[in-house]
Amino acid sequence: MSDVRETIQNSFSRQSLMTAFSARIDSIAPGEVVVSAPITDAVLQQHGVAHAGLTFALGDTAAGYAAISALKGAEVMTAEMKINLLAPGTGHRLRATGRVIRPGQRLVVVAADVHAMDNTGDAALIAVLQGTMVPMLPEHRGSG
């Protein structure tokens, strides 16, 4: 698992969007990855809550890395992802927990729950995502 953890950490560090969001990986386990980012003025929508783009990006990223963890480091790309926004993203930080529902050689079905955290650590579920990741063939890595 340490090689997979290193692969995920290295990949995450190359994501400029996650860097722009000041996101971090909170935990990595087989089939589950947790990613979080602060709710700052830079990621608010017009009503003063976290923009759905941040919510989606964190959920998609956590789910993708969960797929990579289940595939023992093989890279993936999102084929499709659905999001249900359940509540506004208020508080201090958003935390996305991505998990693998069903791994496969051609498709990996994933899901993510996104919670808004307040300063005391209390969490409110604000979104659920479900999607499909496609393992990348070695000849397609780095292209695109």
Side-chain angles (χ1 to χ4, degrees), residues 27-113:
S27 67
I28 300 170
E32 183 177 289
V33 172
V34 178
V35 176
S36 69
I39 299 173
T40 66
D41 289 343
V43 298
L44 301 179
Q45 47 92 301
Q46 71 274 20
H47 300 292
V49 298
H51 195 285
L54 173 64
T55 304
F56 183 87
L58 290 175
D60 177 58
T61 299
Y65 285 123
I68 290 172
S69 75
L71 296 174
K72 298 182 177 38
E75 289 287 338
V76 299
M77 294 213 39
T78 304
E80 63 85 28
M81 187 68 69
K82 178 195 185 318
I83 186 169
N84 288 97
L85 299 164
L86 307 173
T90 61
H92 173 69
R93 187 169 201 85
L94 293 186
R95 181 187 67 209
T97 303
R99 64 190 180 286
V100 172
I101 295 173
R102 183 170 183 185
Q105 292 180 343
R106 295 185 192 192
L107 299 173
V108 181
V109 178
V110 295
D113 295 330

